[in-house]
Amino acid sequence: MQATNVHPIKGDTEAAMKLSVVVAVSRNPKAAEAIKTYRAVLDGLDLSYEILCMTNPDATEALAGLSKLTADWPELTVFERRPWSGEDGELATAYKRAKGDLVLTLPEWPELAPEELNKLFDAIDGQDMVVCARDNQPIGGTRQALMQRSFRLFFGHTVSDVFCRVRLCRRDVLEEIGGFGVRQHFIPVIAASRGYRVTESQVKAYSGEVEAPKFVFKPMGHLRALFDAVTLFVVLKFLYRPLRFFGSIGLPIFLIGAIYTAALLFGRLFLDVPLADRPALIFSVLMIVLGVQIIALGLVGEIIIFSNSRQIKQYKVSKIIKGDGKTAREIPQTDDD
Amino acid sequence: MAQVDISVIVPVFNEEDSVGPLCSAIVEALEPMNRSFEVLLVDDGSSDETIPRATAIVAKDPRIQVLRFQRNSGQTAAMSAGIEFANGEFLVTMDGDLQNDPKDIPMMIAKLEEGFDLVVGWRMNRQDKWLSRKLPSMFANKLIGKVTRLPIRDNGCSLKVYRADVIKRVPLYSDMHRFIPAMTIPLGARIAEVGVRHHARQFGESKYGLSRVLKVIVDLLTIKTLLIFARAPLKTFAGISLVSLIAGLLTFLMVQTDGDYRVVETAVFLLFVSLAVFVFLVGLVAAVIFQSKGKLEPPQFPSSQKVLQ
């Protein structure tokens, strides 16, 4: 990884960093202009901040613009041309490097009016993540509805503006969600389904001309997204209860196989129905074998969880509140799950 | 924090109206015992006024603490956190909705000190709807008793008292808080059951519904399976492997006695043998896992284990 411009952060030490702004640049050659539109707002926030801008090998033109921008914007750090496995990979890497207590994700083209960013910072109080709902969503209709239905089906939560990439969240939320793999549009619903407080902020969409990338139908890409959603659903729902997942698949297969085998044997023994020249018995026994194997795998998973249950914490204590008879003090807890 | 005699663990989630009266009731019930105590309110990610109100209570009484979860993690996680952070010799768990009566705690601790490891409450005059709450609960309790062979009358009652050194060894995960008595089976815990008071919910709404019945059944099957396999993993898997091997051998004998080469029966024979090998190997893996976590496998099911009422 090569950082073109790593600067000390304005004013504060690294430990006191309050905000990390993360931008993944891959398709917009004018990304520098887009990012620049937010500078006035970011400078006016009265927070120490850093901007981590990840670029991929295709973003040659954007990289040139961003490199110029770093000259007079010390908070901006550009990471050059590493193949990150797409936008999701870029974001995952940036989230790992982020040092701020809060992480603001911005897209490479302006999605909302810059001054609307302030609304996100107002809304984060008491919340873990703030997502945007633009008043004039450029992408909607069938795709939006389909995504919302899928999210609700798999994760039990959805957001009004699925395709908006602007979001503000606490870094420790991303640290946990990062473990499930970062898929851009899934982040808010994963956070909500993990019990984090996710709220929406109504914002005005960017009013200027935007050359946002056009939607391209990629069957394999959409198939991968669906596969990711199913995988995430299984992981989120059955991470601590593998036997329930494997059992719900293996037990029906086993039972069908067992009943079928019993019927075949009954026919052979009492009704003189020949079996030797029919593959039915192989099929039914195969179902028994498959069912037992699936259940056994689930059982091993459950045994692992059971045996490690005192080490695997399903909770994170954010603070302990104690009193001395007059006042209460909050003791933040920093140990990880 | 220094060791105390009693830790009361109360998971709370959006109980802004209950938290004040609850803390007062616990303190009133425990102070006459003249024993040191602490109250741990485990906030499971409340979004109402629970935390500000609890903080105000904590400021006045240093015996009360709040553990605040970063996010909603469920009742088992809240219980688990409370148990981990508790410093008491005896741990009391109860609901935060004022349906349990803290006045029962002294009586339950007295029972525990008779030589039990776990005292379970059962709601004598339960103030819930018959069809949606009592009937499923009766069914579930019967079923749990039959399956675990531990006939607890009211598994759903959260008011329980434990010896800390016993409950801190019980693996708690997923939604297993309902099955704590069953989970103490491998530890050979002595369990007593006593009748306790029950009040109708005064504030807010219940977080449970009929949907949990199915969850309880599935959890129960999981617990039972785990308890069977935890006792002797290799032996149990080897038993299943042996059954598969015998089925394979029987099929093989059929092939031999028939004389002709029977493709179907040979294939079935091979399937059963492969299953036998697979299951045995899985058993080896399970045995290694349990072996590496020796503290969780005192697999002595004491025949003397019983519930005293």
mmCIF file with all atom_site columns, all heavy atoms in Angstrom, chain B residues 92-106:
data_model
loop_
_atom_site.group_PDB
_atom_site.id
_atom_site.type_symbol
_atom_site.label_atom_id
_atom_site.label_alt_id
_atom_site.label_comp_id
_atom_site.label_asym_id
_atom_site.label_entity_id
_atom_site.label_seq_id
_atom_site.pdbx_PDB_ins_code
_atom_site.Cartn_x
_atom_site.Cartn_y
_atom_site.Cartn_z
_atom_site.occupancy
_atom_site.B_iso_or_equiv
_atom_site.pdbx_formal_charge
_atom_site.auth_seq_id
_atom_site.auth_comp_id
_atom_site.auth_asym_id
_atom_site.auth_atom_id
_atom_site.pdbx_PDB_model_num
ATOM 1   N N   . VAL B 1 92  ? -28.607 -13.627 42.419 1.00 0.00 ? 92  VAL B N   1
ATOM 2   C CA  . VAL B 1 92  ? -30.061 -13.669 42.231 1.00 0.00 ? 92  VAL B CA  1
ATOM 3   C C   . VAL B 1 92  ? -30.357 -13.099 40.854 1.00 0.00 ? 92  VAL B C   1
ATOM 4   O O   . VAL B 1 92  ? -29.844 -12.035 40.502 1.00 0.00 ? 92  VAL B O   1
ATOM 5   C CB  . VAL B 1 92  ? -30.774 -12.809 43.301 1.00 0.00 ? 92  VAL B CB  1
ATOM 6   C CG1 . VAL B 1 92  ? -32.288 -12.874 43.124 1.00 0.00 ? 92  VAL B CG1 1
ATOM 7   C CG2 . VAL B 1 92  ? -30.380 -13.239 44.697 1.00 0.00 ? 92  VAL B CG2 1
ATOM 8   N N   . THR B 1 93  ? -31.155 -13.793 40.067 1.00 0.00 ? 93  THR B N   1
ATOM 9   C CA  . THR B 1 93  ? -31.591 -13.211 38.791 1.00 0.00 ? 93  THR B CA  1
ATOM 10  C C   . THR B 1 93  ? -33.097 -12.978 38.862 1.00 0.00 ? 93  THR B C   1
ATOM 11  O O   . THR B 1 93  ? -33.829 -13.787 39.448 1.00 0.00 ? 93  THR B O   1
ATOM 12  C CB  . THR B 1 93  ? -31.278 -14.123 37.596 1.00 0.00 ? 93  THR B CB  1
ATOM 13  O OG1 . THR B 1 93  ? -31.916 -15.381 37.787 1.00 0.00 ? 93  THR B OG1 1
ATOM 14  C CG2 . THR B 1 93  ? -29.796 -14.325 37.422 1.00 0.00 ? 93  THR B CG2 1
ATOM 15  N N   . MET B 1 94  ? -33.536 -11.912 38.280 1.00 0.00 ? 94  MET B N   1
ATOM 16  C CA  . MET B 1 94  ? -34.973 -11.632 38.237 1.00 0.00 ? 94  MET B CA  1
ATOM 17  C C   . MET B 1 94  ? -35.289 -10.705 37.065 1.00 0.00 ? 94  MET B C   1
ATOM 18  O O   . MET B 1 94  ? -34.397 -10.071 36.507 1.00 0.00 ? 94  MET B O   1
ATOM 19  C CB  . MET B 1 94  ? -35.456 -11.010 39.554 1.00 0.00 ? 94  MET B CB  1
ATOM 20  C CG  . MET B 1 94  ? -34.797 -9.691  39.909 1.00 0.00 ? 94  MET B CG  1
ATOM 21  S SD  . MET B 1 94  ? -35.253 -9.105  41.560 1.00 0.00 ? 94  MET B SD  1
ATOM 22  C CE  . MET B 1 94  ? -36.992 -8.767  41.324 1.00 0.00 ? 94  MET B CE  1
ATOM 23  N N   . ASP B 1 95  ? -36.576 -10.653 36.698 1.00 0.00 ? 95  ASP B N   1
ATOM 24  C CA  . ASP B 1 95  ? -37.006 -9.782  35.606 1.00 0.00 ? 95  ASP B CA  1
ATOM 25  C C   . ASP B 1 95  ? -37.058 -8.328  36.074 1.00 0.00 ? 95  ASP B C   1
ATOM 26  O O   . ASP B 1 95  ? -37.213 -8.057  37.265 1.00 0.00 ? 95  ASP B O   1
ATOM 27  C CB  . ASP B 1 95  ? -38.395 -10.195 35.108 1.00 0.00 ? 95  ASP B CB  1
ATOM 28  C CG  . ASP B 1 95  ? -38.318 -11.409 34.205 1.00 0.00 ? 95  ASP B CG  1
ATOM 29  O OD1 . ASP B 1 95  ? -37.246 -11.647 33.624 1.00 0.00 ? 95  ASP B OD1 1
ATOM 30  O OD2 . ASP B 1 95  ? -39.334 -12.130 34.087 1.00 0.00 ? 95  ASP B OD2 1
ATOM 31  N N   . GLY B 1 96  ? -36.993 -7.424  35.106 1.00 0.00 ? 96  GLY B N   1
ATOM 32  C CA  . GLY B 1 96  ? -37.020 -6.012  35.445 1.00 0.00 ? 96  GLY B CA  1
ATOM 33  C C   . GLY B 1 96  ? -38.383 -5.375  35.286 1.00 0.00 ? 96  GLY B C   1
ATOM 34  O O   . GLY B 1 96  ? -38.500 -4.154  35.276 1.00 0.00 ? 96  GLY B O   1
ATOM 35  N N   . ASP B 1 97  ? -39.426 -6.191  35.160 1.00 0.00 ? 97  ASP B N   1
ATOM 36  C CA  . ASP B 1 97  ? -40.752 -5.634  34.883 1.00 0.00 ? 97  ASP B CA  1
ATOM 37  C C   . ASP B 1 97  ? -41.679 -5.651  36.095 1.00 0.00 ? 97  ASP B C   1
ATOM 38  O O   . ASP B 1 97  ? -42.886 -5.505  35.954 1.00 0.00 ? 97  ASP B O   1
ATOM 39  C CB  . ASP B 1 97  ? -41.394 -6.394  33.715 1.00 0.00 ? 97  ASP B CB  1
ATOM 40  C CG  . ASP B 1 97  ? -41.427 -7.888  33.960 1.00 0.00 ? 97  ASP B CG  1
ATOM 41  O OD1 . ASP B 1 97  ? -41.133 -8.310  35.096 1.00 0.00 ? 97  ASP B OD1 1
ATOM 42  O OD2 . ASP B 1 97  ? -41.737 -8.641  33.019 1.00 0.00 ? 97  ASP B OD2 1
ATOM 43  N N   . LEU B 1 98  ? -41.110 -5.857  37.270 1.00 0.00 ? 98  LEU B N   1
ATOM 44  C CA  . LEU B 1 98  ? -41.851 -5.853  38.545 1.00 0.00 ? 98  LEU B CA  1
ATOM 45  C C   . LEU B 1 98  ? -42.815 -7.033  38.690 1.00 0.00 ? 98  LEU B C   1
ATOM 46  O O   . LEU B 1 98  ? -43.664 -7.024  39.564 1.00 0.00 ? 98  LEU B O   1
ATOM 47  C CB  . LEU B 1 98  ? -42.621 -4.534  38.730 1.00 0.00 ? 98  LEU B CB  1
ATOM 48  C CG  . LEU B 1 98  ? -41.784 -3.285  38.979 1.00 0.00 ? 98  LEU B CG  1
ATOM 49  C CD1 . LEU B 1 98  ? -42.665 -2.044  38.930 1.00 0.00 ? 98  LEU B CD1 1
ATOM 50  C CD2 . LEU B 1 98  ? -41.085 -3.359  40.328 1.00 0.00 ? 98  LEU B CD2 1
ATOM 51  N N   . GLN B 1 99  ? -42.706 -8.030  37.850 1.00 0.00 ? 99  GLN B N   1
ATOM 52  C CA  . GLN B 1 99  ? -43.589 -9.196  38.012 1.00 0.00 ? 99  GLN B CA  1
ATOM 53  C C   . GLN B 1 99  ? -43.060 -10.136 39.098 1.00 0.00 ? 99  GLN B C   1
ATOM 54  O O   . GLN B 1 99  ? -43.824 -10.837 39.733 1.00 0.00 ? 99  GLN B O   1
ATOM 55  C CB  . GLN B 1 99  ? -43.726 -9.937  36.676 1.00 0.00 ? 99  GLN B CB  1
ATOM 56  C CG  . GLN B 1 99  ? -44.464 -9.100  35.630 1.00 0.00 ? 99  GLN B CG  1
ATOM 57  C CD  . GLN B 1 99  ? -44.940 -9.931  34.458 1.00 0.00 ? 99  GLN B CD  1
ATOM 58  O OE1 . GLN B 1 99  ? -45.794 -10.797 34.587 1.00 0.00 ? 99  GLN B OE1 1
ATOM 59  N NE2 . GLN B 1 99  ? -44.392 -9.664  33.298 1.00 0.00 ? 99  GLN B NE2 1
ATOM 60  N N   . ASN B 1 100 ? -41.738 -10.176 39.265 1.00 0.00 ? 100 ASN B N   1
ATOM 61  C CA  . ASN B 1 100 ? -41.165 -10.915 40.389 1.00 0.00 ? 100 ASN B CA  1
ATOM 62  C C   . ASN B 1 100 ? -41.173 -10.004 41.611 1.00 0.00 ? 100 ASN B C   1
ATOM 63  O O   . ASN B 1 100 ? -41.076 -8.784  41.473 1.00 0.00 ? 100 ASN B O   1
ATOM 64  C CB  . ASN B 1 100 ? -39.716 -11.330 40.091 1.00 0.00 ? 100 ASN B CB  1
ATOM 65  C CG  . ASN B 1 100 ? -39.610 -12.283 38.918 1.00 0.00 ? 100 ASN B CG  1
ATOM 66  O OD1 . ASN B 1 100 ? -38.778 -12.123 38.042 1.00 0.00 ? 100 ASN B OD1 1
ATOM 67  N ND2 . ASN B 1 100 ? -40.467 -13.284 38.877 1.00 0.00 ? 100 ASN B ND2 1
ATOM 68  N N   . ASP B 1 101 ? -41.281 -10.604 42.775 1.00 0.00 ? 101 ASP B N   1
ATOM 69  C CA  . ASP B 1 101 ? -41.306 -9.806  43.995 1.00 0.00 ? 101 ASP B CA  1
ATOM 70  C C   . ASP B 1 101 ? -39.993 -10.007 44.758 1.00 0.00 ? 101 ASP B C   1
ATOM 71  O O   . ASP B 1 101 ? -39.700 -11.120 45.206 1.00 0.00 ? 101 ASP B O   1
ATOM 72  C CB  . ASP B 1 101 ? -42.493 -10.241 44.865 1.00 0.00 ? 101 ASP B CB  1
ATOM 73  C CG  . ASP B 1 101 ? -42.795 -9.227  45.942 1.00 0.00 ? 101 ASP B CG  1
ATOM 74  O OD1 . ASP B 1 101 ? -41.836 -8.578  46.411 1.00 0.00 ? 101 ASP B OD1 1
ATOM 75  O OD2 . ASP B 1 101 ? -43.975 -9.083  46.317 1.00 0.00 ? 101 ASP B OD2 1
ATOM 76  N N   . PRO B 1 102 ? -39.189 -8.945  44.919 1.00 0.00 ? 102 PRO B N   1
ATOM 77  C CA  . PRO B 1 102 ? -37.907 -9.088  45.629 1.00 0.00 ? 102 PRO B CA  1
ATOM 78  C C   . PRO B 1 102 ? -38.067 -9.575  47.069 1.00 0.00 ? 102 PRO B C   1
ATOM 79  O O   . PRO B 1 102 ? -37.108 -10.061 47.662 1.00 0.00 ? 102 PRO B O   1
ATOM 80  C CB  . PRO B 1 102 ? -37.327 -7.675  45.591 1.00 0.00 ? 102 PRO B CB  1
ATOM 81  C CG  . PRO B 1 102 ? -38.021 -6.990  44.466 1.00 0.00 ? 102 PRO B CG  1
ATOM 82  C CD  . PRO B 1 102 ? -39.382 -7.582  44.397 1.00 0.00 ? 102 PRO B CD  1
ATOM 83  N N   . LYS B 1 103 ? -39.283 -9.445  47.630 1.00 0.00 ? 103 LYS B N   1
ATOM 84  C CA  . LYS B 1 103 ? -39.478 -9.909  49.018 1.00 0.00 ? 103 LYS B CA  1
ATOM 85  C C   . LYS B 1 103 ? -39.234 -11.413 49.144 1.00 0.00 ? 103 LYS B C   1
ATOM 86  O O   . LYS B 1 103 ? -39.047 -11.929 50.245 1.00 0.00 ? 103 LYS B O   1
ATOM 87  C CB  . LYS B 1 103 ? -40.916 -9.590  49.461 1.00 0.00 ? 103 LYS B CB  1
ATOM 88  C CG  . LYS B 1 103 ? -41.143 -8.123  49.732 1.00 0.00 ? 103 LYS B CG  1
ATOM 89  C CD  . LYS B 1 103 ? -42.555 -7.905  50.243 1.00 0.00 ? 103 LYS B CD  1
ATOM 90  C CE  . LYS B 1 103 ? -42.890 -6.423  50.230 1.00 0.00 ? 103 LYS B CE  1
ATOM 91  N NZ  . LYS B 1 103 ? -44.231 -6.164  49.723 1.00 0.00 ? 103 LYS B NZ  1
ATOM 92  N N   . ASP B 1 104 ? -39.275 -12.124 48.023 1.00 0.00 ? 104 ASP B N   1
ATOM 93  C CA  . ASP B 1 104 ? -39.039 -13.579 48.060 1.00 0.00 ? 104 ASP B CA  1
ATOM 94  C C   . ASP B 1 104 ? -37.558 -13.929 48.154 1.00 0.00 ? 104 ASP B C   1
ATOM 95  O O   . ASP B 1 104 ? -37.217 -15.081 48.437 1.00 0.00 ? 104 ASP B O   1
ATOM 96  C CB  . ASP B 1 104 ? -39.620 -14.234 46.796 1.00 0.00 ? 104 ASP B CB  1
ATOM 97  C CG  . ASP B 1 104 ? -41.143 -14.220 46.787 1.00 0.00 ? 104 ASP B CG  1
ATOM 98  O OD1 . ASP B 1 104 ? -41.729 -14.522 47.836 1.00 0.00 ? 104 ASP B OD1 1
ATOM 99  O OD2 . ASP B 1 104 ? -41.727 -13.895 45.742 1.00 0.00 ? 104 ASP B OD2 1
ATOM 100 N N   . ILE B 1 105 ? -36.687 -12.955 47.909 1.00 0.00 ? 105 ILE B N   1
ATOM 101 C CA  . ILE B 1 105 ? -35.251 -13.266 47.845 1.00 0.00 ? 105 ILE B CA  1
ATOM 102 C C   . ILE B 1 105 ? -34.712 -13.808 49.185 1.00 0.00 ? 105 ILE B C   1
ATOM 103 O O   . ILE B 1 105 ? -34.009 -14.826 49.192 1.00 0.00 ? 105 ILE B O   1
ATOM 104 C CB  . ILE B 1 105 ? -34.446 -12.029 47.379 1.00 0.00 ? 105 ILE B CB  1
ATOM 105 C CG1 . ILE B 1 105 ? -34.831 -11.683 45.927 1.00 0.00 ? 105 ILE B CG1 1
ATOM 106 C CG2 . ILE B 1 105 ? -32.942 -12.289 47.457 1.00 0.00 ? 105 ILE B CG2 1
ATOM 107 C CD1 . ILE B 1 105 ? -34.213 -10.390 45.409 1.00 0.00 ? 105 ILE B CD1 1
ATOM 108 N N   . PRO B 1 106 ? -35.028 -13.171 50.321 1.00 0.00 ? 106 PRO B N   1
ATOM 109 C CA  . PRO B 1 106 ? -34.481 -13.704 51.588 1.00 0.00 ? 106 PRO B CA  1
ATOM 110 C C   . PRO B 1 106 ? -34.865 -15.166 51.818 1.00 0.00 ? 106 PRO B C   1
ATOM 111 O O   . PRO B 1 106 ? -34.023 -15.972 52.233 1.00 0.00 ? 106 PRO B O   1
ATOM 112 C CB  . PRO B 1 106 ? -35.110 -12.783 52.649 1.00 0.00 ? 106 PRO B CB  1
ATOM 113 C CG  . PRO B 1 106 ? -35.389 -11.517 51.925 1.00 0.00 ? 106 PRO B CG  1
ATOM 114 C CD  . PRO B 1 106 ? -35.766 -11.913 50.536 1.00 0.00 ? 106 PRO B CD  1
#
